[in-house]
Amino acid sequence: MCIKKLISILLAVVMLLSSVSALAFASDTEKDIPIVCVHGYGANIYYPDGSVVYPPESNYDIGEHVKKVTPGILKELGKSLLTDNWDGYCDSLYDAIAQLYEGFPLDGNGEISNGSFVNTSHNEAVLRNPKQSDYHVCDFMFMYDWRKSPLEVADELNAYINTLLDKTGHSKVGLVGRCLGSSVVSAYIAEYGTAKVDSLVYYVPTVNGGVETVNALFTGDVQLEPTSLDRFVNYYVNRKGISGDEIMDDFIVALFSLLTYCKVLPAAEDAVETIYAKVKENVVPRLLLACYGGLPSFWSMLNSEYYEDAKAFVFKGREDEYAGFIKKIDNFNYSVKEKLPELLKNFENEGGRVAVIAKYGFNAPPISQTPNIQSDAMVATKNLSFGATCSNINKKLPESYIERAVLAGTDQYISADKKIDASTCLFPDTTWFIKNIPHADFPADTNNLIQTFIQSRGRITVRDYENWPQYMKYDMKTGEISAVTEDTNEDSRWTNNIIQAFIKFLTSLFRVFIKLLSQPAKAE
């Protein structure tokens, strides 16, 4: 009897210890979950024979192509200016650009009909033997054909997540959607729910209010604004250079600013807008459907406010030919995009966690409808952040606005440089902003923030980590991120009036002369 009792007690102890071990293991795995990262567009596209469809520069020397087609386009432009018949000019412009994107757009049903593809073998390779612990942001990079409707890609993402969870023994993943990837992540939760999602991170999302150039081009509402064009050239030259020489690049920037303030560029803008008004109905819809407008994915990066106007502009007279295509983009716009805020708030109310990482400090591209707004040089900060209140690029929030925020107790959400108010965001306590970093850049510290947010149990906010306050600024030279302070004066990057523009131009001109004169003569 004693032996039986002893055995019973031992079995009970073993079972108890086993249960405790199981609970401990479950707790550990819940602290370390797989992170699936869905990136944006741009992966190479291939024909079945391995030749490249996209990017165009893989098949063309763009500079040589421009040299080749420019004489014909200028000839047709001259004829059109004399006769006011713009058909020849539109055709020559269309042929020159469409040639670069041959085989790239999808057909009228939104399908890939030529066998072209993005190489997604990486997905299978990673899932063959996935990591079992110590998960990082870049471990599970989901590859997909970024031309397709995000709802179609969501089916592939669902299969990927199911396999990953099955092979790792986890019940949930963290999901990161960057740029166009935000449309895919949004389509996934709209179609498959959030039962297998622990947390969501939207990094510079394009799904909320769209991309500024897409909004402008797809509606035909293209406006050039000289000051924003000046700033955009300044940003582009300082970031990438044009001539390969710092002194010459500074001269180019200074010349551009002087032309702006001497009203030369505004006069040119008026001429361009006059011509554009004559040709946009003829050539713009055709060009869009020959490249990015022929991709269902790019329609997911259009502001819902402009969606019906854009369809009317691009598909006018082509509704039957593109009926299947239109059905796909309608499905995304009305079943995902317009319901997204509600879907995300429901997820949070059910215990899920959502973080948003936005950027600011650049004006929108100069062909945008509102180019002087805060952006990451591609997407408006208001849209990136799901609703932040922003000043214009060269202004601050009005003092009266800040006084009202103080009275309402929401001034803690206003940036130290008085540019952004996060209190109006969908998720004001988990929306971070990084200043002076363009859309495509992805600094390492951003990965650390994303990983910390996903792997931390419980709710963390913009006030929980000293290294990651709600407002940060990026140093492009050092790659470091630090807190935004009140004394940040990014407006000093831009010329503010014609006198400053002239002084800047003369200074840069003298530097060019000094460099030229100081170069030693070459031996004969």
Side-chain angles (χ1 to χ4, degrees):
M1 207 52 188
C2 292
I3 294 175
K4 288 184 177 179
K5 285 185 177 179
L6 182 59
I7 292 173
S8 297
I9 291 171
L10 288 173
L11 286 172
V13 171
V14 170
M15 291 176 66
L16 179 61
L17 290 175
S18 298
S19 300
V20 171
S21 298
L23 287 170
F25 179 74
S27 176
D28 284 344
T29 57
E30 288 303 308
K31 290 180 181 177
D32 184 22
I33 63 173
I35 303 172
V36 177
C37 191
V38 186
H39 273 261
Y41 63 90
N44 281 16
I45 298 168
Y46 303 92
Y47 283 119
D49 64 2
S51 58
V52 179
V53 176
Y54 180 94
E57 52 265 33
S58 297
N59 299 318
Y60 295 92
D61 181 320
I62 303 299
E64 288 301 315
H65 180 73
V66 170
K67 290 178 183 178
K68 179 181 177 182
V69 301
T70 296
I73 293 174
L74 290 177
K75 179 180 178 181
E76 292 297 336
L77 175 61
K79 289 181 182 178
S80 299
L81 289 170
L82 290 173
T83 64
D84 204 30
N85 182 336
W86 295 88
D87 290 346
Y89 172 69
C90 289
D91 289 343
S92 65
L93 193 61
Y94 171 81
D95 291 340
I97 296 176
Q99 182 181 346
L100 298 174
Y101 291 92
E102 184 179 359
F104 175 62
L106 306 194
D107 65 20
N109 289 313
E111 302 288 345
I112 299 167
S113 58
N114 59 4
S116 58
F117 65 96
V118 168
N119 186 350
T120 59
S121 60
H122 170 79
N123 296 346
E124 296 177 8
V126 169
L127 293 181
R128 204 169 293 129
N129 185 26
K131 291 178 67 174
Q132 299 297 308
S133 62
D134 190 27
Y135 297 114
H136 296 272
V137 172
C138 297
D139 288 337
F140 303 106
M141 307 292 289
F142 175 72
M143 299 295 295
Y144 61 102
D145 192 321
W146 48 272
R147 295 172 296 173
K148 300 192 296 186
S149 165
L151 282 165
E152 292 180 288
V153 179
D155 296 337
E156 300 169 19
L157 177 60
N158 180 58
Y160 182 93
I161 289 173
N162 287 342
T163 302
L164 179 61
L165 293 178
D166 181 59
K167 291 202 172 188
T168 59
H170 289 275
S171 60
K172 294 187 177 185
V173 299
L175 265 182
V176 181
R178 178 187 178 193
C179 188
L180 176 60
S182 64
S183 293
V184 175
V185 167
S186 301
Y188 170 81
I189 64 173
E191 285 287 284
Y192 295 98
T194 54
K196 297 176 182 177
V197 180
D198 171 82
S199 49
L200 290 166
V201 177
Y202 283 83
Y203 177 67
V204 290
T206 57
V207 66
N208 180 46
V211 175
E212 297 311 298
T213 49
V214 172
N215 292 337
L217 288 169
F218 281 39
T219 57
D221 188 14
V222 173
Q223 301 174 20
L224 289 173
E225 204 283 316
T227 303
S228 68
L229 185 59
D230 175 26
R231 289 190 176 126
F232 193 79
V233 168
N234 193 318
Y235 149 70
Y236 187 88
V237 173
N238 285 334
R239 178 164 167 71
K240 296 186 176 181
I242 290 180
S243 67
D245 181 275
E246 182 182 353
I247 292 177
M248 187 57 67
D249 283 347
D250 285 346
F251 174 74
I252 292 170
V253 170
L255 176 61
F256 223 88
S257 293
L258 186 63
L259 292 175
T260 299
Y261 285 95
C262 288
K263 307 300 182 183
V264 175
L265 288 183
E269 172 207 358
D270 292 341
V272 169
E273 288 186 350
T274 299
I275 294 174
Y276 178 73
K278 294 177 180 291
V279 304
K280 77 173 186 177
E281 297 285 347
N282 183 330
V283 73
V284 175
R286 284 195 289 158
L287 279 177
L288 287 172
L289 291 173
C291 54
Y292 298 100
L295 310 180
S297 59
F298 264 63
W299 286 83
S300 78
M301 297 193 288
L302 177 70
N303 193 318
S304 284
E305 180 182 344
Y306 311 130
Y307 179 69
E308 288 298 334
D309 288 341
K311 280 201 309 179
F313 176 66
V314 174
F315 297 112
K316 183 178 180 181
R318 303 175 178 88
E319 293 86 354
D320 292 340
E321 180 185 355
Y322 282 89
F325 189 106
I326 292 170
K327 183 178 179 180
K328 287 187 175 184
I329 62 176
D330 276 350
N331 193 15
F332 182 86
N333 186 71
Y334 294 113
S335 67
V336 179
K337 184 183 282 284
E338 291 199 344
K339 295 180 179 179
L340 184 57
E342 180 185 356
L343 290 171
L344 294 177
K345 292 303 290 185
N346 287 342
F347 174 60
E348 184 184 52
N349 292 336
E350 293 167 0
R353 297 176 300 136
V354 182
V356 179
I357 302 176
K359 298 174 180 177
Y360 74 110
F362 297 95
N363 56 255
I367 63 169
S368 305
Q369 295 158 319
T370 50
N372 287 316
I373 57 175
Q374 292 284 350
S375 84
D376 63 358
M378 181 173 171
V379 185
T381 302
K382 177 182 178 180
N383 298 333
L384 290 170
S385 59
F386 288 86
T389 300
C390 309
S391 70
N392 274 0
I393 186 65
N394 59 342
K395 297 183 181 297
K396 296 183 178 182
L397 295 170
E399 286 298 326
S400 58
Y401 180 94
I402 295 172
E403 289 170 3
R404 290 194 298 271
V406 171
L407 291 174
T410 61
D411 55 305
Q412 64 179 319
Y413 294 102
I414 295 179
S415 60
D417 58 8
K418 307 297 189 294
K419 298 285 189 178
I420 311 287
D421 177 12
S423 70
T424 55
C425 294
L426 190 63
F427 302 100
D429 293 308
T430 53
T431 298
W432 283 263
F433 297 82
I434 308 176
K435 184 177 186 178
N436 298 341
I437 178 171
H439 182 86
D441 281 17
F442 201 160
D445 210 30
T446 306
N447 273 350
N448 297 333
L449 170 58
I450 292 171
Q451 182 160 327
T452 300
F453 179 84
I454 291 176
Q455 301 295 9
S456 297
R457 299 301 86 202
R459 179 175 168 80
I460 70 168
T461 72
V462 294
R463 281 168 284 281
D464 289 333
Y465 289 95
E466 184 178 349
N467 288 346
W468 299 303
Q470 183 152 47
Y471 295 99
M472 298 169 277
K473 59 183 178 180
Y474 178 70
D475 188 318
M476 203 174 293
K477 293 182 179 178
T478 66
E480 294 180 353
I481 289 177
S482 59
V484 168
T485 56
E486 192 170 2
D487 60 4
T488 300
N489 182 23
E490 79 290 341
D491 292 336
S492 64
R493 292 176 297 176
W494 317 121
T495 302
N496 295 316
N497 56 52
I498 191 170
I499 295 175
Q500 290 181 353
F502 188 66
I503 293 172
K504 186 176 179 180
F505 172 74
L506 283 180
T507 302
S508 64
L509 183 62
F510 288 155
R511 289 181 67 199
V512 171
F513 279 145
I514 290 169
K515 180 172 182 175
L516 291 174
L517 292 173
S518 64
Q519 290 178 351
K522 292 183 180 180
E524 294 293 339

